[in-house]
Amino acid sequence: RRRLKYIVSALITVVLLGVAFFVMIMSLNLQGYIQPKRDPERWGEHHRHPFHVPALSLLAEEGQIFDAASTWKCLTPVVLHVLCIFSMNYVYRRIAERMTDWENHETVFGHQNSLILKRFLFEAFDCYVALFYLAFYERDVYRLRLELITVFNIDTFRRILCECILPMLVQRVSSPPTLAHSKKNDTSDITAYAPLFAETNRDDYEQFDDYMEIVIQLGYVTLFASAY
């Protein structure tokens, strides 16, 4: 029965990986990276590009909303793609936790290994699939370099914003009322336990998330080092 649950979890993961691949194809079309006319010898009238969406790639033409030749318009699809990657990873994280609990592993070690395997496969695929596609299917080193640099930099800024700046602002704006009250009434015992109260209001620390980000960043630098 547990093996059947494993198969169901694998099928759900494969379907979600297909969704991630679909989003990637849409993003590359919006960026103008999938243009069969650039390689007429490979893609002609008798051999159409299977991933080319003319309605989307047209938006990356000169003068359009996502003009690939523009300095800032071309960044909009990349930002949207990075946000989609972050959102899909967050959603799959919740789904993976539910599926792993449903699988009902015999040991905590087995439960953790199953969850780590699911999350690593999905998040690594979601982050690297566009780069592997450009490198080995489109065979376009120039656009691989552009995608790698823009995605890496935008994702880095996203992490700084979400993990440093926003938490700092939230912490300053929403100071615990008990702490302000304790400063007025030093006779209260709340002053001694104020740091503990502040700790309880913080989010849980996810150690795996930090390790995962380090591994993904290492992959950006090492797997495609020649593209730089």
Side-chain angles (χ1 to χ4, degrees):
R1 187 177 179 180
R2 186 176 289 114
R3 289 182 179 178
L4 180 61
K5 292 183 178 181
Y6 293 161
I7 295 174
V8 173
S9 297
L11 291 176
I12 294 175
T13 302
V14 170
V15 171
L16 294 176
L17 289 175
V19 174
F21 183 81
F22 174 79
V23 172
M24 181 271 297
I25 292 297
M26 298 300 103
S27 174
L28 293 184
N29 275 279
L30 288 175
Q31 293 173 246
Y33 286 179
I34 302 179
Q35 294 286 355
K37 60 184 180 182
R38 294 197 187 108
D39 193 357
E41 296 182 358
R42 186 181 180 190
W43 309 112
E45 295 181 359
H46 303 288
H47 192 192
R48 296 184 179 277
H49 199 300
F51 303 119
H52 181 229
V53 183
L56 296 180
S57 61
L58 182 64
L59 299 176
E61 297 289 340
E62 185 177 357
Q64 297 296 324
I65 187 173
F66 300 134
D67 186 356
S70 175
T71 306
W72 59 273
K73 287 183 180 180
C74 64
L75 295 178
T76 306
V78 184
V79 174
L80 294 176
H81 190 199
V82 171
L83 293 177
C84 286
I85 291 175
F86 176 73
S87 301
M88 287 188 294
N89 289 344
Y90 178 80
V91 171
Y92 183 77
R93 170 186 170 185
R94 301 302 180 187
I95 296 175
E97 291 174 352
R98 294 286 185 88
M99 289 192 302
T100 308
D101 291 339
W102 177 66
E103 290 170 0
N104 192 23
H105 292 268
E106 296 181 353
T107 62
V108 176
F109 183 75
H111 179 278
Q112 292 177 344
N113 283 343
S114 178
L115 181 60
I116 290 172
L117 179 63
K118 291 185 184 70
R119 288 193 57 189
F120 177 77
L121 290 178
F122 183 86
E123 295 186 23
F125 178 87
D126 201 11
C127 293
Y128 298 144
V129 62
L131 303 177
F132 278 104
Y133 173 85
L134 291 173
F136 298 104
Y137 192 82
E138 292 293 334
R139 305 167 191 171
D140 194 332
V141 178
Y142 173 72
R143 283 170 177 77
L144 170 63
R145 184 183 301 113
L146 291 179
E147 180 73 5
L148 180 61
I149 294 174
T150 52
V151 169
F152 179 80
N153 289 335
I154 292 175
D155 192 49
T156 301
F157 288 130
R158 191 268 307 168
R159 286 170 179 158
I160 294 174
L161 177 65
C162 295
E163 298 178 7
C164 297
I165 299 177
L166 287 181
M168 182 180 64
L169 294 177
V170 171
Q171 184 179 6
R172 290 187 177 183
V173 172
S174 60
S175 58
T178 55
L179 191 60
H181 178 73
S182 63
K183 291 181 179 179
K184 296 179 181 179
N185 304 306
D186 293 334
T187 57
S188 174
D189 293 335
I190 298 179
T191 306
Y193 298 103
L196 298 179
F197 292 148
E199 290 288 338
T200 58
N201 292 328
R202 295 179 179 176
D203 296 333
D204 294 335
Y205 172 64
E206 293 288 344
Q207 188 178 26
F208 177 77
D209 290 344
D210 283 345
Y211 280 106
M212 189 66 192
E213 289 183 357
I214 293 173
V215 172
I216 294 297
Q217 287 185 345
L218 181 64
Y220 281 137
V221 175
T222 58
L223 293 177
F224 308 95
S226 60
Y228 287 102

